[in-house]
Amino acid sequence: MNLFRSLLIGLSCTVLLSTPAKAQLNITTTTGMIADLVENIGQEHVTVQPLMGVGVDPHLYKATQGDMRKLSRADIIFYNGLHLEGKMQDIFDKMSRKKTVVAVTESLPKSNLIKYDSMHDPHVWFDITLWQSAADKVTEILAKKDAQNAIFYQKNLEKYQQKLHELNQWVSSEINSIPKANRVLITAHDAFGYFGKAYGLEVMGLQGISTAGEFGLQDIKQLKDIIVQRDIKAVFVESSVSPKFIESLVKGIQAEGKNLVIGGELYSDAMGAKGSGADNYIGMVEYNVKTIRDGLLGKRH
């Protein structure tokens, strides 16, 4: 009996050893938008943990001890780059000596980037064609790290690229439904520069491309003058930025007898909560476009 049992145990061990485990790449990303991109391409072959959740401002984000553990355990770290996660750059530089750490924007031609003074605007996801290039970068890295599933990643990329192509066409159509004179987008900070450039809107922000930047009374006065002169009907708050300055701007203009409203809340540096409809990249873009369209046409979203 003992001999038979020993043979069974030996056989079981042989089967277990000869059956390859379904390995998953452990991926840590900074923003939810990048996490969504990796999930669409990697699907069941990846586990993805974003560090920054709903309503989080990546410009001001500092890594916690829990974040450091996630980063240290990751097979790959994907971040945006272009100083979006400015307070974490030293961490990425140090970790890149030991593991695969990739900025999804690193392959974008500089000629396609918007430059402010000495910095490039990091909000590239608002130009869908640039986000398609980021998808190519993610696929390239996944395929290098997990070569046996390279074809799987490539096929997922092709399917997702088709969805992004259709989304890009839809956005152009929706924005073109707004009269040219009304295509002025004013928000808390300059997160929508690529969106404006790609789809034909004039974009202005109370702050610059980073929420870490400061602004003064002169900036508010200049924006007020533009709103009054151009007869702009709506401005927008952002989910990851305090609404108080935009709200005070609206109250100030209303106090002068002018008609200005908050056209809605936009998702700029973070996606929406589960069930919001903006909890994935495509849903986020669709939600923003509908909100902008309705706000600039005088309809409340």
Side-chain angles (χ1 to χ4, degrees), residues 113-253:
L113 300 177
I114 296 172
K115 194 169 185 180
Y116 290 97
D117 298 324
S118 60
M119 293 177 65
H120 288 104
D121 186 342
H123 306 90
V124 296
W125 56 91
F126 284 123
D127 180 339
I128 296 166
T129 61
L130 293 181
W131 203 235
Q132 287 180 289
S133 296
D136 290 337
K137 186 66 183 178
V138 166
T139 306
E140 174 196 330
I141 299 302
L142 291 180
K144 279 183 182 177
K145 196 75 172 177
D146 181 19
Q148 66 179 358
N149 290 308
I151 294 173
F152 175 84
Y153 298 135
Q154 185 61 36
K155 286 181 178 177
N156 288 341
L157 172 68
E158 290 167 7
K159 290 175 188 174
Y160 193 57
Q161 290 285 29
Q162 181 58 35
K163 290 181 182 178
L164 293 181
H165 175 71
E166 291 168 3
L167 179 68
N168 190 47
Q169 291 182 316
W170 176 82
V171 173
S172 295
S173 175
E174 291 299 303
I175 297 303
N176 285 337
S177 72
I178 305 167
K180 280 189 178 181
N182 298 100
R183 292 182 205 166
V184 182
L185 178 61
I186 296 177
T187 58
H189 83 298
D190 274 339
F192 291 87
Y194 289 102
F195 184 80
K197 183 181 177 184
Y199 306 108
L201 290 98
E202 192 174 348
V203 176
M204 303 173 199
L206 201 51
Q207 287 173 279
I209 58 174
S210 171
T211 55
E214 295 183 358
F215 62 94
L217 293 174
Q218 189 62 29
D219 298 303
I220 296 174
K221 184 182 182 304
Q222 286 178 354
L223 209 49
K224 278 179 68 175
D225 290 345
I226 290 168
I227 289 167
V228 171
Q229 290 165 10
R230 304 279 293 273
D231 193 28
I232 293 166
K233 303 297 184 189
V235 294
F236 299 85
V237 294
E238 299 172 45
S239 65
S240 56
V241 183
S242 171
K244 64 182 180 180
F245 297 114
I246 288 290
E247 288 171 349
S248 65
L249 176 71
V250 170
K251 286 177 183 174
I253 290 177

